[in-house]
């Protein structure tokens, strides 16, 4: 059995005063406390190693600023950085501060953040790319924290996911190669099985792959990778070395593999946009590099706004705002120079 944590009543008893006076010292008001009495309370707090219950304080406190938690899987990727920036900016406009956790697609780390956010007294949680959806949902339900999912989840959830239509994104990326550039021999880079990927966005890749393979007129070869840059580079080099002729086009399943895939094609002695045409996904801020990648992209601000609308509606116990936007958003094609346009 664990040791019982000291309470405000224990501090008051040790200091020889009331719990109200202890509260005044802890909260610096609302009533004044003499220096002598304040010193007695402070000494009692130190002797007992008393620590305030921040969750309870947050529930009682009248605040201008409310707090939401935001979990993302990888802050190093531009898409998730864009989501964080958009959510934070739009939440701040509604007097909500955003606490951010970077999960690394690690299910245990995701749960650690949820528990810590609950103790901090958040008023709602947005999870982008959940890796432990069922347990995260259970923890939020237990703590009565409103919860909204974005982008994709691993596991079943009894709620819509606010996201772009990833299958449609795979379709429009591939269709551009087929219809605009008359490519027939196309390779898709990215794994989505447990054997391929442990920590990574495999659900999104699978949906994009389904969209790509649904395009008429395309023969899709699947280059399996673990979704890391190193894995993509090695897999693409091996694939190119195994063929007498390169594919006409390549669809890269995630932004994080795009630079590595492009480098692998170039290192094989092939010209990007001429010998091999490349399309990918996301990366709206990456158009000023050596290559401006043709990519299916997401309306990030619209998705973030709708996720916050759902969260605020749930917090306010109203369903009206939850119906103001569709759950699946339409992607759009950014045309760069990697496809030869």
């Amino acid at each position: 059995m664990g040791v019982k944590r000291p309470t405000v009543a224990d501090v008051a008893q040790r200091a020889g005063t009331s719990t109200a006076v202890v509260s005044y010292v802890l909260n610096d008001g609302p009533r004044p406390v003499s220096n002598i009495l304040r010193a007695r309370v402070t000494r009692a707090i130190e002797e007992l190693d008393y620590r305030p219950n921040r969750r309870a304080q947050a529930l009682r406190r009248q605040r201008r600023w409310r707090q939401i938690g935001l979990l993302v899987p990888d802050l190093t990727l531009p898409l998730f950085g864009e989501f964080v920036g958009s959510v934070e900016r739009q939440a701040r406009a509604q007097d909500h501060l955003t606490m951010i956790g970077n999960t690394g697609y690690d299910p245990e780390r995701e749960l650690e953040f949820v528990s810590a956010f609950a103790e901090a007294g958040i008023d709602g949680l947005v999870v982008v790319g959940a890796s432990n959806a069922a347990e995260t949902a259970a923890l939020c339900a237990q703590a009565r924290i409103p919860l909204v999912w974005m982008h994709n989840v691993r596991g079943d959830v009894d709620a819509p996911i606010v996201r772009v239509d990833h299958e449609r994104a795979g379709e429009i990326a591939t269709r551009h190669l087929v219809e605009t550039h008359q490519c027939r021999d196309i390779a898709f880079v990215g794994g989505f099985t447990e054997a391929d990927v442990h920590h990574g966005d495999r659900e999104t890749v699978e949906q994009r792959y389904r969209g790509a393979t649904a395009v008429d007129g395309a023969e899709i070869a699947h280059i399996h990778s673990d979704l890391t840059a190193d894995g993509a580079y090695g897999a693409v080099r091996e694939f190119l070395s195994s063929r007498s002729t390169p594919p006409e086009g390549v669809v890269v399943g995630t932004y994080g593999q795009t630079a590595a895939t492009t480098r692998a094609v170039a290192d094989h002695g092939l010209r990007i946009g001429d010998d091999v045409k490349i399309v990918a996904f996301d990366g709206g801020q990456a158009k000023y590099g050596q290559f401006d990648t043709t990519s299916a992209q997401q309306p990030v601000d619209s998705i973030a706004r709708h996720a916050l609308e759902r969260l605020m509606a749930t917090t306010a116990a109203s369903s009206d705002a939850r119906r103001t936007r569709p759950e699946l958003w339409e992607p759009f094609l950014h045309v760069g120079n990697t496809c030869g346009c």
Side-chain angles (χ1 to χ4, degrees), residues 11 14-16 25 35-50:
V11 174
R14 174 68 66 95
V25 172
N35 291 336
I36 294 176
L37 192 50
R38 182 181 294 274
R40 281 165 41 194
V41 171
T42 302
R43 185 167 58 251
I45 289 172
E46 293 174 351
E47 291 172 352
L48 293 171
D49 192 25
Y50 170 74

mmCIF file with all atom_site columns, all heavy atoms in Angstrom, residues 11 14-16 25 35-50:
data_model
loop_
_atom_site.group_PDB
_atom_site.id
_atom_site.type_symbol
_atom_site.label_atom_id
_atom_site.label_alt_id
_atom_site.label_comp_id
_atom_site.label_asym_id
_atom_site.label_entity_id
_atom_site.label_seq_id
_atom_site.pdbx_PDB_ins_code
_atom_site.Cartn_x
_atom_site.Cartn_y
_atom_site.Cartn_z
_atom_site.occupancy
_atom_site.B_iso_or_equiv
_atom_site.pdbx_formal_charge
_atom_site.auth_seq_id
_atom_site.auth_comp_id
_atom_site.auth_asym_id
_atom_site.auth_atom_id
_atom_site.pdbx_PDB_model_num
ATOM 1   N N   . VAL A 1 11 ? -1.525 19.959 6.798  1.00 0.00 ? 11 VAL A N   1
ATOM 2   C CA  . VAL A 1 11 ? -0.704 21.171 6.899  1.00 0.00 ? 11 VAL A CA  1
ATOM 3   C C   . VAL A 1 11 ? -1.289 22.121 7.939  1.00 0.00 ? 11 VAL A C   1
ATOM 4   O O   . VAL A 1 11 ? -0.568 22.692 8.767  1.00 0.00 ? 11 VAL A O   1
ATOM 5   C CB  . VAL A 1 11 ? -0.606 21.865 5.525  1.00 0.00 ? 11 VAL A CB  1
ATOM 6   C CG1 . VAL A 1 11 ? 0.119  23.203 5.652  1.00 0.00 ? 11 VAL A CG1 1
ATOM 7   C CG2 . VAL A 1 11 ? 0.106  20.975 4.512  1.00 0.00 ? 11 VAL A CG2 1
ATOM 8   N N   . ARG A 1 14 ? -0.553 20.831 11.444 1.00 0.00 ? 14 ARG A N   1
ATOM 9   C CA  . ARG A 1 14 ? 0.856  21.017 11.818 1.00 0.00 ? 14 ARG A CA  1
ATOM 10  C C   . ARG A 1 14 ? 1.154  22.486 12.119 1.00 0.00 ? 14 ARG A C   1
ATOM 11  O O   . ARG A 1 14 ? 1.912  22.795 13.053 1.00 0.00 ? 14 ARG A O   1
ATOM 12  C CB  . ARG A 1 14 ? 1.746  20.507 10.673 1.00 0.00 ? 14 ARG A CB  1
ATOM 13  C CG  . ARG A 1 14 ? 3.246  20.758 10.856 1.00 0.00 ? 14 ARG A CG  1
ATOM 14  C CD  . ARG A 1 14 ? 3.824  19.916 11.995 1.00 0.00 ? 14 ARG A CD  1
ATOM 15  N NE  . ARG A 1 14 ? 3.770  18.514 11.682 1.00 0.00 ? 14 ARG A NE  1
ATOM 16  C CZ  . ARG A 1 14 ? 4.779  17.814 11.148 1.00 0.00 ? 14 ARG A CZ  1
ATOM 17  N NH1 . ARG A 1 14 ? 5.912  18.434 10.858 1.00 0.00 ? 14 ARG A NH1 1
ATOM 18  N NH2 . ARG A 1 14 ? 4.661  16.532 10.927 1.00 0.00 ? 14 ARG A NH2 1
ATOM 19  N N   . ALA A 1 15 ? 0.537  23.389 11.348 1.00 0.00 ? 15 ALA A N   1
ATOM 20  C CA  . ALA A 1 15 ? 0.804  24.820 11.540 1.00 0.00 ? 15 ALA A CA  1
ATOM 21  C C   . ALA A 1 15 ? -0.046 25.426 12.649 1.00 0.00 ? 15 ALA A C   1
ATOM 22  O O   . ALA A 1 15 ? 0.180  26.578 13.037 1.00 0.00 ? 15 ALA A O   1
ATOM 23  C CB  . ALA A 1 15 ? 0.552  25.565 10.232 1.00 0.00 ? 15 ALA A CB  1
ATOM 24  N N   . GLY A 1 16 ? -1.042 24.675 13.144 1.00 0.00 ? 16 GLY A N   1
ATOM 25  C CA  . GLY A 1 16 ? -1.918 25.190 14.194 1.00 0.00 ? 16 GLY A CA  1
ATOM 26  C C   . GLY A 1 16 ? -2.841 26.272 13.705 1.00 0.00 ? 16 GLY A C   1
ATOM 27  O O   . GLY A 1 16 ? -3.064 27.271 14.408 1.00 0.00 ? 16 GLY A O   1
ATOM 28  N N   . VAL A 1 25 ? -2.445 31.071 1.850  1.00 0.00 ? 25 VAL A N   1
ATOM 29  C CA  . VAL A 1 25 ? -0.995 31.076 1.633  1.00 0.00 ? 25 VAL A CA  1
ATOM 30  C C   . VAL A 1 25 ? -0.660 30.437 0.282  1.00 0.00 ? 25 VAL A C   1
ATOM 31  O O   . VAL A 1 25 ? 0.141  30.960 -0.489 1.00 0.00 ? 25 VAL A O   1
ATOM 32  C CB  . VAL A 1 25 ? -0.276 30.333 2.779  1.00 0.00 ? 25 VAL A CB  1
ATOM 33  C CG1 . VAL A 1 25 ? 1.209  30.167 2.456  1.00 0.00 ? 25 VAL A CG1 1
ATOM 34  C CG2 . VAL A 1 25 ? -0.460 31.079 4.101  1.00 0.00 ? 25 VAL A CG2 1
ATOM 35  N N   . ASN A 1 35 ? 2.820  37.745 8.438  1.00 0.00 ? 35 ASN A N   1
ATOM 36  C CA  . ASN A 1 35 ? 4.108  37.137 8.123  1.00 0.00 ? 35 ASN A CA  1
ATOM 37  C C   . ASN A 1 35 ? 4.423  35.965 9.050  1.00 0.00 ? 35 ASN A C   1
ATOM 38  O O   . ASN A 1 35 ? 4.984  34.947 8.619  1.00 0.00 ? 35 ASN A O   1
ATOM 39  C CB  . ASN A 1 35 ? 5.221  38.179 8.201  1.00 0.00 ? 35 ASN A CB  1
ATOM 40  C CG  . ASN A 1 35 ? 5.120  39.211 7.082  1.00 0.00 ? 35 ASN A CG  1
ATOM 41  O OD1 . ASN A 1 35 ? 4.537  38.935 6.034  1.00 0.00 ? 35 ASN A OD1 1
ATOM 42  N ND2 . ASN A 1 35 ? 5.676  40.388 7.302  1.00 0.00 ? 35 ASN A ND2 1
ATOM 43  N N   . ILE A 1 36 ? 4.046  36.112 10.312 1.00 0.00 ? 36 ILE A N   1
ATOM 44  C CA  . ILE A 1 36 ? 4.327  35.038 11.280 1.00 0.00 ? 36 ILE A CA  1
ATOM 45  C C   . ILE A 1 36 ? 3.528  33.791 10.923 1.00 0.00 ? 36 ILE A C   1
ATOM 46  O O   . ILE A 1 36 ? 4.054  32.675 10.889 1.00 0.00 ? 36 ILE A O   1
ATOM 47  C CB  . ILE A 1 36 ? 4.000  35.516 12.716 1.00 0.00 ? 36 ILE A CB  1
ATOM 48  C CG1 . ILE A 1 36 ? 4.958  36.632 13.133 1.00 0.00 ? 36 ILE A CG1 1
ATOM 49  C CG2 . ILE A 1 36 ? 4.089  34.342 13.688 1.00 0.00 ? 36 ILE A CG2 1
ATOM 50  C CD1 . ILE A 1 36 ? 4.656  37.222 14.497 1.00 0.00 ? 36 ILE A CD1 1
ATOM 51  N N   . LEU A 1 37 ? 2.230  33.972 10.649 1.00 0.00 ? 37 LEU A N   1
ATOM 52  C CA  . LEU A 1 37 ? 1.381  32.829 10.321 1.00 0.00 ? 37 LEU A CA  1
ATOM 53  C C   . LEU A 1 37 ? 1.784  32.215 8.977  1.00 0.00 ? 37 LEU A C   1
ATOM 54  O O   . LEU A 1 37 ? 1.794  30.998 8.806  1.00 0.00 ? 37 LEU A O   1
ATOM 55  C CB  . LEU A 1 37 ? -0.080 33.268 10.280 1.00 0.00 ? 37 LEU A CB  1
ATOM 56  C CG  . LEU A 1 37 ? -1.139 32.153 10.238 1.00 0.00 ? 37 LEU A CG  1
ATOM 57  C CD1 . LEU A 1 37 ? -0.895 31.108 11.322 1.00 0.00 ? 37 LEU A CD1 1
ATOM 58  C CD2 . LEU A 1 37 ? -2.533 32.747 10.368 1.00 0.00 ? 37 LEU A CD2 1
ATOM 59  N N   . ARG A 1 38 ? 2.148  33.074 8.034  1.00 0.00 ? 38 ARG A N   1
ATOM 60  C CA  . ARG A 1 38 ? 2.597  32.572 6.730  1.00 0.00 ? 38 ARG A CA  1
ATOM 61  C C   . ARG A 1 38 ? 3.847  31.708 6.906  1.00 0.00 ? 38 ARG A C   1
ATOM 62  O O   . ARG A 1 38 ? 3.992  30.659 6.244  1.00 0.00 ? 38 ARG A O   1
ATOM 63  C CB  . ARG A 1 38 ? 2.877  33.740 5.794  1.00 0.00 ? 38 ARG A CB  1
ATOM 64  C CG  . ARG A 1 38 ? 3.317  33.311 4.391  1.00 0.00 ? 38 ARG A CG  1
ATOM 65  C CD  . ARG A 1 38 ? 3.592  34.545 3.516  1.00 0.00 ? 38 ARG A CD  1
ATOM 66  N NE  . ARG A 1 38 ? 2.356  35.283 3.266  1.00 0.00 ? 38 ARG A NE  1
ATOM 67  C CZ  . ARG A 1 38 ? 1.518  35.003 2.285  1.00 0.00 ? 38 ARG A CZ  1
ATOM 68  N NH1 . ARG A 1 38 ? 1.777  33.992 1.455  1.00 0.00 ? 38 ARG A NH1 1
ATOM 69  N NH2 . ARG A 1 38 ? 0.423  35.718 2.117  1.00 0.00 ? 38 ARG A NH2 1
ATOM 70  N N   . ALA A 1 39 ? 4.766  32.126 7.781  1.00 0.00 ? 39 ALA A N   1
ATOM 71  C CA  . ALA A 1 39 ? 5.994  31.363 8.009  1.00 0.00 ? 39 ALA A CA  1
ATOM 72  C C   . ALA A 1 39 ? 5.684  30.002 8.619  1.00 0.00 ? 39 ALA A C   1
ATOM 73  O O   . ALA A 1 39 ? 6.311  28.991 8.269  1.00 0.00 ? 39 ALA A O   1
ATOM 74  C CB  . ALA A 1 39 ? 6.941  32.154 8.913  1.00 0.00 ? 39 ALA A CB  1
ATOM 75  N N   . ARG A 1 40 ? 4.715  29.962 9.554  1.00 0.00 ? 40 ARG A N   1
ATOM 76  C CA  . ARG A 1 40 ? 4.329  28.679 10.156 1.00 0.00 ? 40 ARG A CA  1
ATOM 77  C C   . ARG A 1 40 ? 3.754  27.724 9.114  1.00 0.00 ? 40 ARG A C   1
ATOM 78  O O   . ARG A 1 40 ? 4.063  26.537 9.088  1.00 0.00 ? 40 ARG A O   1
ATOM 79  C CB  . ARG A 1 40 ? 3.309  28.907 11.281 1.00 0.00 ? 40 ARG A CB  1
ATOM 80  C CG  . ARG A 1 40 ? 3.970  29.371 12.578 1.00 0.00 ? 40 ARG A CG  1
ATOM 81  C CD  . ARG A 1 40 ? 2.979  29.929 13.569 1.00 0.00 ? 40 ARG A CD  1
ATOM 82  N NE  . ARG A 1 40 ? 1.726  29.191 13.658 1.00 0.00 ? 40 ARG A NE  1
ATOM 83  C CZ  . ARG A 1 40 ? 0.633  29.669 14.259 1.00 0.00 ? 40 ARG A CZ  1
ATOM 84  N NH1 . ARG A 1 40 ? 0.668  30.891 14.784 1.00 0.00 ? 40 ARG A NH1 1
ATOM 85  N NH2 . ARG A 1 40 ? -0.470 28.952 14.321 1.00 0.00 ? 40 ARG A NH2 1
ATOM 86  N N   . VAL A 1 41 ? 2.900  28.256 8.226  1.00 0.00 ? 41 VAL A N   1
ATOM 87  C CA  . VAL A 1 41 ? 2.302  27.422 7.181  1.00 0.00 ? 41 VAL A CA  1
ATOM 88  C C   . VAL A 1 41 ? 3.378  26.942 6.211  1.00 0.00 ? 41 VAL A C   1
ATOM 89  O O   . VAL A 1 41 ? 3.407  25.766 5.822  1.00 0.00 ? 41 VAL A O   1
ATOM 90  C CB  . VAL A 1 41 ? 1.206  28.203 6.435  1.00 0.00 ? 41 VAL A CB  1
ATOM 91  C CG1 . VAL A 1 41 ? 0.729  27.419 5.210  1.00 0.00 ? 41 VAL A CG1 1
ATOM 92  C CG2 . VAL A 1 41 ? 0.030  28.491 7.369  1.00 0.00 ? 41 VAL A CG2 1
ATOM 93  N N   . THR A 1 42 ? 4.266  27.837 5.821  1.00 0.00 ? 42 THR A N   1
ATOM 94  C CA  . THR A 1 42 ? 5.339  27.460 4.891  1.00 0.00 ? 42 THR A CA  1
ATOM 95  C C   . THR A 1 42 ? 6.231  26.385 5.484  1.00 0.00 ? 42 THR A C   1
ATOM 96  O O   . THR A 1 42 ? 6.616  25.419 4.798  1.00 0.00 ? 42 THR A O   1
ATOM 97  C CB  . THR A 1 42 ? 6.176  28.697 4.529  1.00 0.00 ? 42 THR A CB  1
ATOM 98  O OG1 . THR A 1 42 ? 5.332  29.692 3.944  1.00 0.00 ? 42 THR A OG1 1
ATOM 99  C CG2 . THR A 1 42 ? 7.283  28.327 3.550  1.00 0.00 ? 42 THR A CG2 1
ATOM 100 N N   . ARG A 1 43 ? 6.550  26.522 6.776  1.00 0.00 ? 43 ARG A N   1
ATOM 101 C CA  . ARG A 1 43 ? 7.386  25.513 7.450  1.00 0.00 ? 43 ARG A CA  1
ATOM 102 C C   . ARG A 1 43 ? 6.670  24.166 7.501  1.00 0.00 ? 43 ARG A C   1
ATOM 103 O O   . ARG A 1 43 ? 7.269  23.106 7.251  1.00 0.00 ? 43 ARG A O   1
ATOM 104 C CB  . ARG A 1 43 ? 7.753  25.980 8.858  1.00 0.00 ? 43 ARG A CB  1
ATOM 105 C CG  . ARG A 1 43 ? 8.721  25.036 9.585  1.00 0.00 ? 43 ARG A CG  1
ATOM 106 C CD  . ARG A 1 43 ? 9.316  25.685 10.831 1.00 0.00 ? 43 ARG A CD  1
ATOM 107 N NE  . ARG A 1 43 ? 8.289  26.106 11.768 1.00 0.00 ? 43 ARG A NE  1
ATOM 108 C CZ  . ARG A 1 43 ? 7.969  27.379 12.019 1.00 0.00 ? 43 ARG A CZ  1
ATOM 109 N NH1 . ARG A 1 43 ? 8.608  28.336 11.361 1.00 0.00 ? 43 ARG A NH1 1
ATOM 110 N NH2 . ARG A 1 43 ? 7.039  27.688 12.884 1.00 0.00 ? 43 ARG A NH2 1
ATOM 111 N N   . ALA A 1 44 ? 5.366  24.173 7.762  1.00 0.00 ? 44 ALA A N   1
ATOM 112 C CA  . ALA A 1 44 ? 4.594  22.930 7.802  1.00 0.00 ? 44 ALA A CA  1
ATOM 113 C C   . ALA A 1 44 ? 4.556  22.260 6.422  1.00 0.00 ? 44 ALA A C   1
ATOM 114 O O   . ALA A 1 44 ? 4.648  21.029 6.305  1.00 0.00 ? 44 ALA A O   1
ATOM 115 C CB  . ALA A 1 44 ? 3.180  23.213 8.302  1.00 0.00 ? 44 ALA A CB  1
ATOM 116 N N   . ILE A 1 45 ? 4.423  23.073 5.382  1.00 0.00 ? 45 ILE A N   1
ATOM 117 C CA  . ILE A 1 45 ? 4.424  22.530 4.022  1.00 0.00 ? 45 ILE A CA  1
ATOM 118 C C   . ILE A 1 45 ? 5.743  21.831 3.727  1.00 0.00 ? 45 ILE A C   1
ATOM 119 O O   . ILE A 1 45 ? 5.775  20.729 3.158  1.00 0.00 ? 45 ILE A O   1
ATOM 120 C CB  . ILE A 1 45 ? 4.159  23.665 3.007  1.00 0.00 ? 45 ILE A CB  1
ATOM 121 C CG1 . ILE A 1 45 ? 2.698  24.130 3.096  1.00 0.00 ? 45 ILE A CG1 1
ATOM 122 C CG2 . ILE A 1 45 ? 4.483  23.210 1.584  1.00 0.00 ? 45 ILE A CG2 1
ATOM 123 C CD1 . ILE A 1 45 ? 2.406  25.363 2.274  1.00 0.00 ? 45 ILE A CD1 1
ATOM 124 N N   . GLU A 1 46 ? 6.862  22.472 4.132  1.00 0.00 ? 46 GLU A N   1
ATOM 125 C CA  . GLU A 1 46 ? 8.182  21.886 3.878  1.00 0.00 ? 46 GLU A CA  1
ATOM 126 C C   . GLU A 1 46 ? 8.390  20.620 4.700  1.00 0.00 ? 46 GLU A C   1
ATOM 127 O O   . GLU A 1 46 ? 8.931  19.624 4.190  1.00 0.00 ? 46 GLU A O   1
ATOM 128 C CB  . GLU A 1 46 ? 9.265  22.916 4.194  1.00 0.00 ? 46 GLU A CB  1
ATOM 129 C CG  . GLU A 1 46 ? 9.265  24.111 3.233  1.00 0.00 ? 46 GLU A CG  1
ATOM 130 C CD  . GLU A 1 46 ? 10.243 25.180 3.657  1.00 0.00 ? 46 GLU A CD  1
ATOM 131 O OE1 . GLU A 1 46 ? 10.788 25.066 4.781  1.00 0.00 ? 46 GLU A OE1 1
ATOM 132 O OE2 . GLU A 1 46 ? 10.458 26.131 2.875  1.00 0.00 ? 46 GLU A OE2 1
ATOM 133 N N   . GLU A 1 47 ? 7.978  20.633 5.957  1.00 0.00 ? 47 GLU A N   1
ATOM 134 C CA  . GLU A 1 47 ? 8.175  19.471 6.826  1.00 0.00 ? 47 GLU A CA  1
ATOM 135 C C   . GLU A 1 47 ? 7.375  18.259 6.347  1.00 0.00 ? 47 GLU A C   1
ATOM 136 O O   . GLU A 1 47 ? 7.831  17.118 6.428  1.00 0.00 ? 47 GLU A O   1
ATOM 137 C CB  . GLU A 1 47 ? 7.792  19.820 8.266  1.00 0.00 ? 47 GLU A CB  1
ATOM 138 C CG  . GLU A 1 47 ? 8.752  20.808 8.935  1.00 0.00 ? 47 GLU A CG  1
ATOM 139 C CD  . GLU A 1 47 ? 8.245  21.272 10.287 1.00 0.00 ? 47 GLU A CD  1
ATOM 140 O OE1 . GLU A 1 47 ? 7.076  20.947 10.637 1.00 0.00 ? 47 GLU A OE1 1
ATOM 141 O OE2 . GLU A 1 47 ? 8.994  21.978 10.988 1.00 0.00 ? 47 GLU A OE2 1
ATOM 142 N N   . LEU A 1 48 ? 6.161  18.518 5.844  1.00 0.00 ? 48 LEU A N   1
ATOM 143 C CA  . LEU A 1 48 ? 5.303  17.422 5.385  1.00 0.00 ? 48 LEU A CA  1
ATOM 144 C C   . LEU A 1 48 ? 5.549  17.063 3.922  1.00 0.00 ? 48 LEU A C   1
ATOM 145 O O   . LEU A 1 48 ? 4.992  16.069 3.433  1.00 0.00 ? 48 LEU A O   1
ATOM 146 C CB  . LEU A 1 48 ? 3.825  17.809 5.566  1.00 0.00 ? 48 LEU A CB  1
ATOM 147 C CG  . LEU A 1 48 ? 3.326  17.949 7.010  1.00 0.00 ? 48 LEU A CG  1
ATOM 148 C CD1 . LEU A 1 48 ? 1.929  18.539 7.031  1.00 0.00 ? 48 LEU A CD1 1
ATOM 149 C CD2 . LEU A 1 48 ? 3.347  16.586 7.700  1.00 0.00 ? 48 LEU A CD2 1
ATOM 150 N N   . ASP A 1 49 ? 6.366  17.888 3.242  1.00 0.00 ? 49 ASP A N   1
ATOM 151 C CA  . ASP A 1 49 ? 6.574  17.720 1.791  1.00 0.00 ? 49 ASP A CA  1
ATOM 152 C C   . ASP A 1 49 ? 5.230  17.706 1.073  1.00 0.00 ? 49 ASP A C   1
ATOM 153 O O   . ASP A 1 49 ? 4.964  16.871 0.212  1.00 0.00 ? 49 ASP A O   1
ATOM 154 C CB  . ASP A 1 49 ? 7.354  16.433 1.503  1.00 0.00 ? 49 ASP A CB  1
ATOM 155 C CG  . ASP A 1 49 ? 7.845  16.384 0.052  1.00 0.00 ? 49 ASP A CG  1
ATOM 156 O OD1 . ASP A 1 49 ? 7.996  17.465 -0.547 1.00 0.00 ? 49 ASP A OD1 1
ATOM 157 O OD2 . ASP A 1 49 ? 8.049  15.275 -0.472 1.00 0.00 ? 49 ASP A OD2 1
ATOM 158 N N   . TYR A 1 50 ? 4.383  18.678 1.437  1.00 0.00 ? 50 TYR A N   1
ATOM 159 C CA  . TYR A 1 50 ? 3.050  18.767 0.842  1.00 0.00 ? 50 TYR A CA  1
ATOM 160 C C   . TYR A 1 50 ? 3.144  19.308 -0.580 1.00 0.00 ? 50 TYR A C   1
ATOM 161 O O   . TYR A 1 50 ? 3.865  20.270 -0.855 1.00 0.00 ? 50 TYR A O   1
ATOM 162 C CB  . TYR A 1 50 ? 2.157  19.694 1.674  1.00 0.00 ? 50 TYR A CB  1
ATOM 163 C CG  . TYR A 1 50 ? 0.845  20.032 0.997  1.00 0.00 ? 50 TYR A CG  1
ATOM 164 C CD1 . TYR A 1 50 ? -0.181 19.097 0.919  1.00 0.00 ? 50 TYR A CD1 1
ATOM 165 C CD2 . TYR A 1 50 ? 0.661  21.286 0.405  1.00 0.00 ? 50 TYR A CD2 1
ATOM 166 C CE1 . TYR A 1 50 ? -1.376 19.402 0.283  1.00 0.00 ? 50 TYR A CE1 1
ATOM 167 C CE2 . TYR A 1 50 ? -0.533 21.596 -0.224 1.00 0.00 ? 50 TYR A CE2 1
ATOM 168 C CZ  . TYR A 1 50 ? -1.541 20.651 -0.289 1.00 0.00 ? 50 TYR A CZ  1
ATOM 169 O OH  . TYR A 1 50 ? -2.712 20.947 -0.925 1.00 0.00 ? 50 TYR A OH  1
#
